[in-house]
């Protein structure tokens, strides 16, 4: 019997100053005038159509992503969050994150975001080296990145933010090991409570896919990871997910809900959602209209498509998410949130357990240190069974 997991909300704002060559997110170059109020109206109507899936739960977290949500005004974000709370109650300790680009990071605006309800910022630094920022198509420079991080720290000291995250990439085109570690050292020196440190991957339908850059080889990438992990641990950052490191009390709650197979509503252009319907023994995936022009067309529904997650897919999706975390995968959560039996899991995990990639305890499964290095192998086994 399915049980209701915690509920989060993802809000997508699709506009950026320009499209980055590595980005495969649903983002669009901003128009001359962003239709901010019209888009917020549509977001709220979109959410109203999804209220049937709330099923009495408060929101545990909200993530405003993009695109570049910091292109919106502080008043607009404040209005959006206020009206969302009028539709779905907020948990007392709700985490509300807004993604920001250092190139659109203005002191007055970001203090306004925090006063309007945002209590966590996620700032896309990506690199602190000018040549790499230019190669990645970023509109900010290293000085702006540092200033953005310092401002977030000041807002936190003033009690206007509870936390903030800095995004940093490694494995960049023509990046040396020394440059990657220098970048990480620079981020650590800014003392963010949370760091997302992840390797650049070339995604289909991006400029980098059609014009592939020269990336560091596997040996260099491994050396970068080993050195970086040691530096992060020494600075007090605990790795809790493949690419997420937080100081005590600063794990990203929104992403944790994704990885733990929680539910989330997705509103905005191309936003995806996952909702559990226990009475019908269904898990539903949703996707909204992708292009801003279509999404803003009031004659059309916001929901582009929805589909049921089949039994076999539930097993894969649960572990695809949960195994990104270093914490144990609880067997009780598997049964509760997939509606399946432990035998369904044992059947597909058997080979990975035999290979020493997973441990199988009475109440949980967990990746071994070796398994964390071969996570894709585990997931491939899940697909092939």
């Amino acid at each position: 019997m399915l049980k209701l997991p915690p509920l989060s909300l993802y809000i997508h704002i699709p506009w950026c100053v320009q499209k980055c060559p590595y980005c495969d997110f649903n983002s669009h170059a901003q128009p001359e005038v962003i239709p901010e109020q019209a888009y917020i109206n549509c977001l709220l109507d979109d959410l109203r159509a999804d209220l049937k899936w709330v099923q009495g739960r408060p929101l545990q977290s909200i993530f405003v992503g993009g695109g570049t949500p910091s292109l919106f005004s502080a008043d607009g974000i404040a209005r959006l969050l206020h009206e969302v709370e009028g539709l779905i109650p907020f948990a007392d300790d709700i985490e509300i994150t807004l993604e920001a680009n250092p190139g659109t990071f203005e002191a007055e605006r970001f203090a306004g975001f925090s006063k309007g309800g945002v209590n966590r910022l996620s700032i896309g630094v990506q690199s602190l080296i000018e040549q790499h920022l230019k190669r990645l198509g970023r509109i900010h420079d290293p000085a702006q990145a540092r200033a953005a991080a310092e401002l977030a720290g000041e807002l936190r000291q003033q009690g206007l933010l509870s936390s903030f995250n800095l995004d940093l990439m490694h494995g960049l085109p023509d990046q040396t090991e020394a440059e990657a570690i220098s970048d990480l050292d620079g981020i650590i020196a800014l003392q963010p409570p949370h760091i997302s440190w992840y390797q650049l991957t070339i995604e289909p339908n991006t400029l980098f896919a059609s014009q592939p850059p020269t990336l560091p080889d596997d040996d260099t990438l491994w050396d970068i990871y080993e050195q970086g992990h040691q530096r992060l641990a020494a600075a007090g950052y605990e790795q809790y997910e493949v690419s997420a490191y937080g100081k005590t009390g600063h794990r990203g709650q929104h992403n944790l809900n994704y990885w733990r197979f929680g539910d989330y509503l997705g509103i905005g252009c191309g936003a995806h959602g996952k909702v559990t319907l226990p009475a019908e023994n269904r898990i539903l995936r949703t996707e909204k209209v992708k292009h801003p022009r279509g999404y803003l067309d009031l004659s059309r529904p916001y929901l582009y498509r929805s589909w049921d997650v089949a039994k076999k897919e539930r097993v894969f999706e649960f572990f695809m998410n949960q195994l990104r975390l270093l914490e144990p995968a609880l067997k009780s959560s598997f049964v509760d949130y997939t509606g399946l039996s432990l035998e369904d899991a044992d059947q597909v995990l058997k080979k990975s357990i035999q290979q020493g990639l997973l441990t199988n305890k009475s109440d949980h499964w967990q990746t071994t240190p070796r398994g964390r290095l071969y996570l894709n192998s585990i997931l491939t086994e899940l697909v092939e069974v």
Side-chain angles (χ1 to χ4, degrees), residues 97-153:
T97 303
L98 183 134
E99 276 189 330
N101 186 318
T104 60
F105 206 103
E106 302 168 13
E108 184 177 346
R109 176 179 294 185
F110 279 77
F113 285 147
S114 61
K115 291 174 183 175
V118 173
N119 57 27
R120 183 176 184 271
L121 293 172
S122 183
I123 304 168
V125 173
Q126 313 309 0
S127 178
L128 291 171
I129 299 175
E130 181 80 37
Q131 69 192 58
H132 291 308
L133 288 172
K134 289 181 177 178
R135 191 72 185 276
L136 292 172
R138 306 298 290 174
I139 65 170
H140 64 274
D141 60 32
Q144 288 175 312
R146 290 188 176 92
E150 289 167 0
L151 175 57

Side-chain angles (χ1 to χ4, degrees), residues 165-218:
N165 167 68
L166 299 183
D167 272 351
L168 179 70
M169 301 171 70
H170 65 276
L172 306 181
D174 301 311
Q175 185 183 49
T176 66
E177 180 181 332
E179 287 172 333
I181 297 305
S182 174
D183 252 353
L184 183 57
D185 286 341
I187 291 295
I188 291 172
L190 294 167
Q191 299 184 337
H194 189 282
I195 296 173
S196 294
W197 188 54
Y198 55 98
Q199 181 183 326
L200 170 67
T201 56
I202 305 301
E203 302 291 349
N205 303 315
T206 63
L207 182 60
F208 275 175
S210 60
Q211 302 174 27
T214 302
L215 301 180
D217 60 34
D218 288 344

Side-chain angles (χ1 to χ4, degrees), residues 10-11 43 52 70 77 83 116 127 131 139 167 173 189 196 205 216 265 316 333:
Y10 175 74
I11 302 173
L43 287 172
K52 58 184 175 294
S70 52
I77 295 296
E83 297 205 29
S127 178
Q131 69 192 58
I139 65 170
D167 272 351
S196 294
N205 303 315
L265 304 177
F316 173 75
S333 294

